[in-house]
Amino acid sequence: MNRLPRSFFERDTVIVARELIGSVLMRKIGDQLLSGIIIETEAYGYDNDPASHAYGGKRKRNVPLFGPSGHAYVYFTYGNHYCMNVVAKNSAVQAGGVLIRAIEPIQGIALMKLHRNKDDMRILANGPGKLAQALQLTTAHNGIDCTDSDELWIVKGKQLPVHITPRIGISKAQEKLWRFIL
DNA sequence: CACCCGATTATCT
DNA sequence: GATAATCGGGTGT
């Protein structure tokens, strides 16, 4: 039902990051459906982007970033947290992805509260680590094809007005305006 | 809300 | 050994 196709992700990483705002991230755990509107993203490039995990070439951790667009790249960081990206790049570049930084929960809110062990709606999924915890995403989901998965995918939403800012939480390439937020 | 800091581990561009 | 695409608890305003 209006799932975003691979062609959506096979475009410039920055464009995809911007257009993902307003789309709906879907997650199915057993028979439970969780979803939320994507309200914050960041684009990560390749050898043009020192802040990207793909910078410097293919390694064990970043393999999905070099694979087909539309697949998930889920990594572990800071010793505690998982973060989810969708691989997105045009055919001219070898790697790139979009970090999904925040969603506004729509479905499965009770289950998200359980996963997060928090009751406050406002802090359920308003950050990349929180979002991954709310949706129970781990490296087990690394590499999933979101254009063809029944546990993790993205559906088309409304095109909404978007704020553009520098990326956060990074120390390199801070000049790039590759963060998009509702 | 702002700032500070500890947690905890994979990776080191 | 240092750093990291982060979070949450503490303290102060």
Side-chain angles (χ1 to χ4, degrees), chain A residues 27 29 32 34 108-118 124 130-137:
Chain A
R27 169 87 170 107
I29 304 174
Q32 297 285 328
L34 308 177
I109 291 172
L111 197 50
M112 291 190 204
K113 287 180 175 175
L114 211 59
H115 294 156
R116 292 271 299 123
N117 196 27
K118 293 277 185 289
L124 279 188
K130 301 178 198 179
L131 177 162
Q133 188 183 17
L135 300 183
Q136 288 212 315
L137 294 169

Side-chain angles (χ1 to χ4, degrees), chain A residues 89-104:
Chain A
K89 54 191 156 58
N90 66 39
S91 56
V93 298
Q94 293 183 56
V98 176
L99 173 67
I100 302 183
R101 290 192 56 88
I103 63 173
E104 179 183 313

Side-chain angles (χ1 to χ4, degrees), chain A residues 9-10 28 31 44 46-48 74 77 83 101 103 109-110 138 141 145 148-149 161:
Chain A
F9 300 101
E10 287 177 328
K28 197 168 191 184
D31 59 358
Y44 284 91
Y46 175 37
D47 47 9
N48 62 335
V74 184
T77 192
C83 296
R101 290 192 56 88
I103 63 173
I109 291 172
T138 70
H141 308 282
D145 184 356
D148 184 42
S149 165

Side-chain angles (χ1 to χ4, degrees), chain A residues 24-28 33-35 107 151-155:
Chain A
V24 182
L25 181 61
M26 308 291 297
R27 169 87 170 107
K28 197 168 191 184
L33 197 56
L34 308 177
S35 71
Q107 297 174 88
E151 52 179 345
L152 183 61
W153 70 101
I154 302 174
V155 302

Side-chain angles (χ1 to χ4, degrees), chain A residues 72-94:
Chain A
Y73 166 51
V74 184
Y75 68 90
F76 184 68
T77 192
Y78 284 108
N80 320 333
H81 304 291
Y82 296 95
C83 296
M84 178 195 167
N85 294 241
V86 191
V87 180
K89 54 191 156 58
N90 66 39
S91 56
V93 298
Q94 293 183 56

